[in-house]
Amino acid sequence: MPASLELEKHGGGGGGRVPPPRGGDGGGARGDDAPDFRERLNRYRLGMAIGLIGVIMVFVSLTSAFIVRQGTTTRDPNTGIETVDWLPITLPTSALVLNTLLLMASSVALEMARRSLKRQYAVAEAVGDSEAQAPAPWLAISVLLGAGFLAGQLFVWSELRRRGVYLPTNPSSSFFYLLTALHGVHLLGGMIALGYAQATAWFHRSIAQRLLVVDVTGIYWHFMALLWLYIFGLFQFVK
Amino acid sequence: MAEHIEHAAHAHAAPTGFIRKYVFSLDHKVIGIQYYFLALASVFIGMFLSLLMRIHLVWPGVSLPLIGEIKPETYLSLLTMHGTFMVFFVLTTAPQSGFGNYFLPIQIGAPDMAFPVLNMLSFWTTFLAFLVAIAAFFVEGGAPLHGWTGYPPLSAVPSAGPGEALGADLWVLSIAIFCVASLMGALNFITTVLDLRCKGMSMMRMPLTVWAWFITAILGLLAFGVLLSAGILLLLDRNLGTSFFIPGGTVVNGTLLNHKGGSPLLWQHLFWFFGHPEVYIAILPGMGVASQLLSTFSRKPIFGYKAMVYAIMAIGGLGFVVWGHHMFMSGMSPYSAFAFSLMTMAIGVPSAIKTFNWLGTIWRGRVHFDSPMLFAVGFVSLFVSGGLSGPFLAQPLLDIYLHDTFFVVAHFHLIMGVAAIFGIFAGTYYWFPKMFGRMMNEALAQAHFWLTLIGTYAIFMPMHYEGMAARPRRYSQLTEVGWLQQLTGVEKFVTYAAFITIAAQFIFVFNLFWSMFKGKKATDNPWNATTLEWTTATPPPHDNFAGVTPTVYHGPYEYSVPGAPNDFVMQTDPTPHGGHVPSEDKPLAAE
Ligand code: HEM
Ligand SMILES: [Cu+2]
């Protein structure tokens, strides 16, 4: 469930009309104007929360595969001895810690971007779009930090390859490449959404539109940061 | 009627160009119809493949025009693609994405889905999955051999057979794309139900169809991600040398594979964790339609509305903890087999609740046997017939004998395959007037019903006996097997029945297209039903209610309310008894 919307009521901000009944609004899904902004924001947040459940299921099932595969034994037909072929993977931890910090910083920057946009939105509502001053470039900073994380992950991969650890080398490395790749793909999706939010600024689309994208992508982005901590933890503690 | 007109100007304008209107449409109604026709194309592909299988089973040497002789491995390709098209592109597509898309928003009084663009994307992604699956027929080696369940190592080793090369890659890819599409669809359905209900439409006033679509969407949200990850792991095993599913020491065609340590059972767990909920994804919407129709055509409220809602939830919930009943033969510990067995039997309880409530609904009703009702009753019949063999299969001791025999084929065709198809037919005959503005031909519909009902029983009932006679599943040639000779007569009977049943489907298709253009014009509410889709124009305008948001005052099944002038009270009727206000009554307030 989405958190309740923190945008405080500001004079006439709602367009000065009676709020529509829960959801029963005609064009909410498509319109781009301020009046039903809250409603749209809540709907998008709800959709994002539900979508994340789908993403969680992907990673939950991969975790269960991870654990099952870890304990899978192979029986030698000649000797009858059961062996486990899983070898714990040795990761370039310091590089990964650095990446983690980049991603966390990116998350924080995005939260800053969201807050400053929210303020800008409030000002624009009160005194008009043109008066609201441009926010600090938090959005760009966040995307850059995210890109830094991805570059760092690529570095980790090349480091592993340099040590001769490839995707099929061992099930542990298979899982490492797979989970980091899937996580990276998800992050890329988030970056495209943020890039879109940035682009709306250049095309002079309404601040509301941008706030909407940044707010909802923010939920996703923070979740991706947590997911990364989870994946990192899996390889540190369940190897 | 107390409806409030509200910022109608705000509603998005109807698109005008052909492409935006019919191809890349954002309108949930157009998208629903697109899904429906995708499923219709798929069901004919699936039926055609099954006919080829049936022909091969009784005349193995015959050479067909254009197709030639069916080789044993071709039989397996037919089998795989038959199951795949039927399960994914028919049973997951028509009842949920087709009818759900079209009628869920209308039945809750919403102008569209919560995320129209996402909705369009889901359809076109599903369509892409369909094209990729079709492509598997035409590549080198043809379609895969591994069945719709895709068990490794067969499915994981490209050198394991002709269809296991590129064809199998395309198959896995198609399934993976389908998963993504279904996840997007599920997200949209859930958000729509939670967020877009009109005023007065509390959860407990939602039609049971909406409940069924809602719970189905939740199942989809939780299940498709699991199949997606399994598919990704399988693609890696097939193409990039990993060993998730391929055990060490696997020898294929005399060559020792380079893989080691993988677990074929891991696939089975992941697959069936998806697979069992999937059978409920196929059947729950049909249950919703059956509930709706039994009540409407008996002119009685549904018996035990709340019990029905909780039973859907219980079936959905239990559906996630029974997947092991597909794996009794895998050498699992007898203790877990026992647990899975017990849990599976437990599903019988909510299923029986639903069945008895359906019977209670028609009991002493003024039943009108129009074609939608016939198919709804047929649905219940098939659900019971197929359901009765479930408790046998749920016992490990019996399943060890029956597993991989035609007993299983009989069971799942009745309860999942044909029952769900009957749900689709019932929905089609019921909603066609609303969707296309005309009535379907009733005489043709009745003929279609009887031929299909008798035909499917004739096909699938004998399969139980064949299964008990140890006739194996997924075998292409039985004529050479001594102890199966005695079944030749039954096999022929089943094939003839399949011919007739499939031929009867052309009556349906003819009726569908003929009625679209030539059918009798339909009124807005031809069945005197109460739910919101019958309050709006036929076919509904672009935003469903022409800028007027409905307000709901009643539950969905107020038929034959004592004291009411009509035997149905529309959900939007503000008076307690439908247009009739006894002096002591006050008009209702929306909840
Ligand atoms: C015209 C009616 C149908 C006929 C004559 C028919 C016939 C068959 C036959 C002969 C098989 C192969 C059994 C074997 O050798 O193991 C089969 C398998 C199957 N059918 Fe049907 N079928 C029909 C409709 C359906 C429907 C509506 C569904 C939807 C669920 C369906 C789903 C399946 C599945 C999932 C399999 C198993 C495929 C596998 O083993 O991978 N069929 N069918
Ligand atoms: Cu099952």
Side-chain angles (χ1 to χ4, degrees):
Chain A
M1 289 291 145
S4 70
L5 182 51
E6 317 90 281
L7 274 175
E8 271 75 46
K9 258 217 150 62
H10 35 71
R17 63 177 174 79
V18 189
R22 182 173 152 78
D25 168 38
R30 217 76 46 77
D32 184 55
D33 318 298
D36 46 11
F37 176 67
R38 280 153 196 285
E39 213 181 288
R40 292 180 63 211
L41 184 56
N42 276 332
R43 182 175 309 159
Y44 276 81
R45 283 178 171 182
L46 178 62
M48 178 52 75
I50 293 167
L52 287 180
I53 295 176
V55 176
I56 288 175
M57 285 311 289
V58 171
F59 284 90
V60 164
S61 50
L62 288 175
T63 306
S64 80
F66 180 95
I67 290 165
V68 168
R69 186 61 185 81
Q70 207 168 35
T72 304
T73 55
T74 307
R75 185 188 161 92
D76 187 310
N78 301 319
T79 60
I81 296 172
E82 307 256 354
T83 48
V84 175
D85 68 337
W86 182 284
L87 297 172
I89 187 170
T90 318
L91 294 168
T93 316
S94 44
L96 284 171
V97 169
L98 181 66
N99 289 350
T100 309
L101 292 177
L102 284 175
L103 190 58
M104 298 302 130
S106 168
S107 231
V108 173
L110 190 56
E111 180 60 17
M112 299 302 284
R114 190 183 72 87
R115 290 188 182 183
S116 83
L117 260 176
K118 205 175 85 180
R119 241 172 285 126
Q120 198 194 1
Y121 173 73
V123 173
E125 281 291 291
V127 295
D129 240 315
S130 48
E131 306 289 316
Q133 91 271 38
W138 283 116
L139 193 55
I141 294 175
S142 169
V143 173
L144 277 181
L145 288 169
F149 171 83
L150 286 181
Q153 295 290 78
L154 286 178
F155 170 77
V156 169
W157 281 8
S158 72
E159 184 62 21
L160 284 175
R161 294 230 301 282
R162 204 178 52 77
R163 298 185 197 165
V165 179
Y166 297 93
L167 177 80
T169 304
N170 191 265
S172 61
S173 67
S174 308
F175 273 107
F176 183 77
Y177 281 103
L178 172 62
L179 289 173
T180 47
L182 272 184
H183 178 254
V185 167
H186 278 88
L187 269 190
L188 267 182
M191 283 170 66
I192 291 172
L194 293 180
Y196 169 76
Q198 185 67 52
T200 56
W202 301 325
F203 296 128
H204 304 289
R205 294 286 288 279
S206 70
I207 298 172
Q209 178 73 24
R210 214 175 326 146
L211 177 54
L212 191 75
V213 179
V214 170
D215 186 288
V216 176
T217 313
I219 300 175
Y220 180 78
W221 200 257
H222 301 325
F223 175 80
M224 284 301 145
L226 286 179
L227 183 61
W228 166 247
L229 286 182
Y230 170 75
I231 294 172
F232 196 12
L234 199 62
F235 282 97
Q236 284 305 312
F237 303 114
V238 199
K239 52 184 171 182
Chain B
M1 286 189 189
E3 290 153 329
H4 46 282
I5 299 184
E6 185 183 274
H7 43 93
H10 207 72
H12 44 82
T16 42
F18 178 81
I19 301 247
R20 289 306 300 269
K21 204 163 164 184
Y22 297 112
V23 186
F24 296 109
S25 173
L26 300 177
D27 185 333
H28 68 101
K29 297 187 286 299
V30 177
I31 295 172
I33 291 177
Q34 288 173 326
Y35 269 118
Y36 185 88
F37 281 109
L38 180 63
L40 193 67
S42 303
V43 84
F44 273 85
I45 295 172
M47 276 196 312
F48 176 66
L49 300 177
S50 72
L51 199 59
L52 293 181
M53 281 191 282
R54 286 309 320 173
I55 290 172
H56 175 77
L57 283 172
V58 292
W59 302 290
V62 69
S63 180
L64 298 164
L66 292 179
I67 291 156
E69 196 179 325
I70 294 171
K71 299 196 287 289
E73 57 271 26
T74 317
Y75 180 86
L76 292 180
S77 295
L78 297 173
L79 172 72
T80 304
M81 298 310 271
H82 164 76
T84 304
F85 276 101
M86 288 297 195
V87 172
F88 291 100
F89 294 101
V90 179
L91 298 189
T92 313
T93 299
Q96 176 76 0
S97 310
F99 287 125
N101 243 310
Y102 199 112
F103 288 104
L104 182 142
I106 310 188
Q107 288 195 331
I108 60 172
D112 203 323
M113 281 284 184
F115 307 113
V117 176
L118 191 70
N119 202 15
M120 176 186 81
L121 273 178
S122 327
F123 172 74
W124 286 104
T125 313
T126 310
F127 189 71
L128 178 66
F130 173 81
L131 292 183
V132 174
I134 296 271
F137 284 113
F138 298 104
V139 293
E140 174 92 47
L145 318 174
H146 51 231
W148 87 282
T149 53
Y151 278 11
L154 177 56
S155 64
V157 181
S159 59
E164 288 305 314
L166 191 50
D169 278 319
L170 290 174
W171 182 86
V172 186
L173 197 62
S174 164
I175 300 297
I177 299 172
F178 190 90
C179 290
V180 175
S182 303
L183 286 173
M184 295 194 286
L187 184 172
N188 220 339
F189 274 56
I190 299 172
T191 313
T192 305
V193 170
L194 291 179
D195 202 41
L196 267 93
R197 277 170 292 121
C198 67
K199 203 163 167 225
M201 180 60 81
S202 61
M203 294 296 269
M204 282 300 172
R205 277 182 182 169
M206 295 196 311
L208 287 171
T209 40
V210 175
W211 267 111
W213 289 319
F214 179 55
I215 301 290
T216 303
I218 294 177
L219 296 189
L221 185 72
L222 298 177
F224 276 107
V226 179
L227 183 63
L228 179 58
S229 5
I232 294 171
L233 295 178
L234 191 58
L235 278 176
L236 293 183
D237 267 9
R238 294 179 51 81
N239 296 301
L240 295 176
T242 57
S243 308
F244 296 111
F245 302 129
I246 308 175
T250 308
V251 178
V252 173
N253 297 331
T255 321
L256 180 68
L257 298 182
N258 211 0
H259 298 262
K260 52 179 192 294
S263 161
L265 270 186
L266 174 59
W267 168 271
Q268 294 194 21
H269 278 294
L270 293 173
F271 181 85
W272 286 116
F273 186 85
F274 150 80
H276 191 85
E278 165 65 18
V279 310
Y280 291 117
I281 290 174
I283 200 75
L284 284 184
M287 292 182 171
V289 169
S291 309
Q292 181 85 18
L293 269 54
L294 290 177
S295 170
T296 303
F297 287 89
S298 307
R299 315 309 294 163
K300 271 183 62 190
I302 189 85
F303 188 89
Y305 173 88
K306 282 203 172 144
M308 290 304 243
V309 171
Y310 296 133
I312 300 179
M313 291 180 183
I315 291 177
L318 284 172
F320 277 104
V321 290
V322 299
W323 78 91
H325 64 211
H326 296 276
M327 299 168 62
F328 288 143
M329 292 291 283
S330 70
M332 63 164 65
S333 133
Y335 296 106
S336 39
F338 178 71
F340 279 123
S341 169
L342 210 64
M343 237 99 78
T344 304
M345 306 270 205
I347 295 192
V349 176
S351 306
I353 291 178
K354 293 200 81 78
T355 306
F356 285 116
N357 283 357
W358 285 326
L359 298 181
T361 304
I362 45 180
W363 176 250
R364 298 210 169 156
R366 280 178 293 117
V367 183
H368 301 258
F369 283 110
D370 297 291
S371 48
M373 178 64 169
L374 287 178
F375 276 99
V377 174
F379 173 92
V380 177
S381 157
L382 288 159
F383 182 71
V384 173
S385 315
L388 284 177
S389 51
F392 293 90
L393 293 169
Q395 296 175 59
L397 274 181
L398 287 175
D399 186 64
I400 284 168
Y401 181 79
L402 293 171
H403 186 81
D404 267 334
T405 71
F406 252 43
F407 191 88
V408 173
V409 176
H411 163 72
F412 77 70
H413 273 97
L414 284 183
I415 194 154
M416 157 161 106
V418 197
I421 297 263
F422 268 52
I424 300 174
F425 284 140
T428 307
Y429 286 113
Y430 180 64
W431 278 313
F432 184 91
K434 185 52 70 179
M435 294 165 79
F436 298 103
R438 290 172 188 273
M439 306 298 287
M440 288 183 80
N441 182 294
E442 184 63 20
L444 290 180
Q446 302 253 348
H448 173 228
F449 170 74
W450 289 109
L451 284 170
T452 309
L453 184 81
I454 297 169
T456 47
Y457 271 115
I459 296 174
F460 296 113
M461 269 303 169
M463 289 186 185
H464 292 97
Y465 302 104
E466 290 190 278
M468 286 188 267
R471 182 247 195 264
R473 173 184 177 193
R474 293 181 177 164
Y475 272 55
S476 82
Q477 202 138 331
L478 309 161
T479 42
E480 316 293 314
V481 185
W483 45 279
L484 292 174
Q485 296 296 327
Q486 47 175 343
L487 294 178
T488 312
V490 185
E491 286 285 327
K492 285 209 167 122
F493 174 80
V494 170
T495 297
Y496 294 137
F499 264 112
I500 296 171
T501 314
I502 290 175
Q505 302 321 305
F506 287 93
I507 304 178
F508 170 73
V509 178
F510 171 78
N511 195 355
L512 190 73
F513 287 103
W514 184 84
S515 306
M516 240 177 243
F517 302 103
K518 292 272 153 66
K520 196 164 60 108
K521 277 249 190 284
T523 56
D524 283 352
N525 189 2
W527 314 116
N528 291 340
T530 62
T531 46
L532 293 182
E533 75 268 35
W534 307 109
T535 62
T536 184
T538 294
H542 176 67
D543 67 352
N544 297 343
F545 299 98
V548 182
T549 309
T551 305
V552 164
Y553 301 90
H554 294 273
Y557 302 111
E558 304 207 352
Y559 291 105
S560 306
V561 178
N566 295 320
D567 71 349
F568 63 105
V569 179
M570 301 305 284
Q571 284 197 279
T572 49
D573 198 319
T575 61
H577 294 113
H580 165 82
V581 191
S583 51
E584 69 275 20
D585 282 353
K586 292 191 290 295
L588 298 179
E591 210 164 69

